[in-house]
Amino acid sequence: MTALAFVVFCFGVLAAGRGLAAGTAGEVLRLRFGGDAERTRVVVDLDHNTRGAVVSSGSDGRVVVALTGVSPHGQMGGAGTGLVRDYRVTARGGASRIELTLATGAEIERRFLLPPGDGVAHYRYVIDLRSTGRAPVTRRAAAPSPTPRGSAPAERPLIVIDAGHGGRDPGARGSHVNESAVTLAAAQALKAELERTGRYRVRLTRDNDSYVGLYRRVEIARAADADLFISLHADAGSDPATRGASVYTLSEQGAGRAVREFTRGDNWHRELRLPGRDPSVDRILLDMTQRTTQNRSAQLARTLLGGLEEADHPMLRRSHRDAGLAVLLAPDVPAVLLEMGFITNPEDEQTLNDERGRRRLMRAVAGGIDRYFRDPSGSMQMASTGASGQP
C-alpha cells in the first residue's frame, strides 16, 4: 500500500461513525492478504465487533490470534501471501482462532480493529507482519497438551493495576492511614478478585511500599502489552464532609501531551511499532491509535462507574472526569484512574482501611472490568465529539 493510499485509508477510518449494531454473536467473513516477503498485511473481515489477543507471536513458525465474539462459517483455510504460507480459522466456543503458518521468520508488527466506514459496511481486524530476517522455523507437529491447572493461557486479557504513590511519596493523609497504604491494599485485593475468576492475567506496578515513577508506571503497562491499565488512588479535600468515588480518563489536552511525549525522539514510530514506512503516515496512525484508546478508556470508565453504583458505593456528583494525568498518557493502552473515595472523609477512610469494606469495593470494580471485556461492542462516547459510537 502506498503512503498516499494509506493516508486516505487512515482519514477514512478517522471519519468512521457508529459501527454495526451489537448482536449476540458475529461471523468471520473472509481473510485477505497483501504485501510481500518483507511486510505482509492480513485483513480479517467480520460482521461484528471483536477483541483480539495473541496466542502465538511467530516464534514457533506460526502466528495465532484469538478473536472473541466471532466464529467462522464452516471450515476456512487456504494459501497465504508473502510471509504467510497458509492459514486456517477454527472455532473455539464463541471465539475464533486465526492460525497463520509462516513462510519464513516473521513477527507481529501491529494489530488493530477498524470499524465500518468509508463505504465499508463491516469490521476489519488487521494483523501486520514483518520479516525478522531469521531462517524459517520448522514446527514439529504434536498433540495438544492440556493447560496446567492454575496456569493462565496467553489469550486471557492482561490487566495492570497501579497502586498510587508509595515509598517516599505517601500521598494524602487521613486520620489513621496514608493514601499509599490503602492503594496498595486495594490493588492486592483487586488482583485477588480478578485472578479468582480465572479469566485474567494481572500485574501490579508495585507490590510493596516502594516508589515507582509516574512514567515508569506507563512503561510497565506498555512493555507488558497490557489490555487495560487502572490506577488506584484516594482523594482528599478541605471539607471532611466531601466523599465519594470518581473515575478519570485522559483529557483532550492530555491526549495532545501524550502525542508530544511519544514523538519527541527520532525513533518514536519504531518504539510504538507502527506499520507505516513514512513518518507522516505513522503520525496519522498514532492519532488514530490515541483516539481509539480514549474511546475504550471512556467505555471502561462507564462500566466501572456502573459497577460502583450497583454496589451502592458513594459517588461524587460528577463522577466521570478528565485530566492530563501522567499515568493516563499511554497512547495504546486503555487507562483510567479511580479515586476510590476521600481519605479525608471519616466514612470513606473507614471503608478503604477496612479489609471487608475494601474487598466489597474491589469486587464491584472487578465486576465493572468484567462487563468491559464481556461486551466489546458496547456503545461509548467518542472522545472527539461526545457522540455515541462504536470503537
Side-chain angles (χ1 to χ4, degrees):
M1 184 179 294
T2 66
L4 179 59
F6 194 73
V7 170
V8 174
F9 177 79
C10 291
F11 276 118
V13 173
L14 286 170
R18 188 172 180 85
L20 296 175
T24 56
E27 186 175 318
V28 178
L29 303 175
R30 68 189 68 83
L31 264 70
R32 297 180 284 121
F33 298 89
D36 51 31
E38 288 296 320
R39 278 182 166 85
T40 299
R41 169 162 288 186
V42 183
V43 180
V44 186
D45 290 327
L46 311 161
D47 68 358
H48 193 275
N49 205 342
T50 189
R51 277 197 179 87
V54 176
V55 179
S56 179
S57 61
S59 59
D60 63 349
R62 62 181 188 143
V63 166
V64 181
V65 176
L67 300 180
T68 62
V70 292
S71 299
H73 182 66
Q75 292 186 339
M76 296 181 67
T81 298
L83 295 168
V84 180
R85 187 170 68 226
D86 55 58
Y87 77 94
R88 67 172 181 158
V89 183
T90 57
R92 290 291 180 94
S96 294
R97 284 167 63 102
I98 311 298
E99 302 185 15
L100 310 173
T101 304
L102 300 176
T104 187
E107 62 186 6
I108 296 175
E109 187 172 42
R110 184 162 184 82
R111 54 193 175 90
F112 50 93
L113 179 70
L114 297 174
D118 195 28
V120 179
H122 55 263
Y123 290 86
R124 291 147 290 169
Y125 192 86
V126 180
I127 306 170
D128 282 325
L129 305 175
R130 68 176 175 188
S131 173
T132 61
R134 297 189 291 268
V137 178
T138 303
R139 181 169 167 264
R140 186 173 60 185
S145 57
T147 302
R149 184 180 180 87
S151 66
E155 59 264 30
R156 294 180 185 178
L158 173 62
I159 299 171
V160 173
I161 305 171
D162 173 45
H165 305 281
R168 68 174 186 265
D169 176 18
R173 174 69 186 174
S175 298
H176 306 287
V177 67
N178 288 329
E179 181 182 1
S180 59
V182 298
T183 60
L184 178 59
Q188 292 168 334
L190 179 56
K191 181 176 186 289
E193 285 293 331
L194 291 170
E195 290 180 335
R196 185 175 59 81
T197 69
R199 292 188 286 273
Y200 306 103
R201 295 171 292 147
V202 186
R203 179 173 177 179
L204 302 180
T205 57
R206 66 180 181 97
D207 56 9
N208 54 44
D209 187 24
S210 58
Y211 177 77
V212 180
L214 297 178
Y215 292 106
R216 175 59 186 152
R217 297 167 194 252
V218 176
E219 289 172 2
I220 289 170
R222 295 193 64 248
D225 197 18
D227 296 284
L228 183 157
F229 177 89
I230 177 169
S231 186
L232 301 179
H233 288 256
D235 222 331
S238 57
D239 183 358
T242 304
R243 67 179 307 201
S246 60
V247 176
Y248 283 83
T249 52
L250 191 64
S251 64
E252 286 297 313
Q253 293 82 1
R257 176 185 169 194
V259 170
R260 290 192 299 273
E261 290 284 344
F262 282 91
T263 57
R264 183 177 297 170
D266 293 335
N267 296 321
W268 63 269
H269 48 94
R270 295 178 186 172
E271 182 185 342
L272 287 171
R273 303 186 297 278
L274 296 175
R277 301 184 187 182
D278 183 289
S280 62
V281 173
D282 279 340
R283 179 56 186 263
I284 291 173
L285 191 54
L286 173 58
D287 290 338
M288 290 172 55
T289 301
Q290 177 79 71
R291 188 67 56 192
T292 300
T293 300
Q294 285 182 268
N295 292 338
R296 292 205 179 280
S297 298
Q299 180 188 7
L300 172 59
R302 280 203 310 282
T303 62
L304 287 180
L305 291 171
L308 294 174
E309 289 171 353
E310 289 177 8
D312 292 324
H313 187 74
M315 310 288 291
L316 284 179
R317 182 175 300 176
R318 187 168 68 88
S319 54
H320 187 180
R321 304 177 172 221
D322 61 357
L325 301 168
V327 292
L328 302 178
L329 291 181
D332 47 2
V333 181
V336 297
L337 184 147
L338 170 62
E339 295 279 8
M340 300 177 289
F342 278 72
I343 201 168
T344 48
N345 174 270
E347 291 86 0
D348 279 359
E349 182 185 18
Q350 182 178 358
T351 297
L352 296 175
N353 203 29
D354 174 69
E355 182 180 355
R356 184 173 298 179
R358 209 167 39 235
R359 189 185 308 124
R360 190 163 50 245
L361 172 58
M362 290 303 106
R363 191 171 296 133
V365 173
I369 291 173
D370 248 352
R371 277 191 290 274
Y372 170 79
F373 282 105
R374 274 204 313 267
D375 185 17
S377 58
S379 62
M380 65 180 65
Q381 290 297 114
M382 301 302 288
S384 58
T385 64
S388 179
Q390 295 284 355

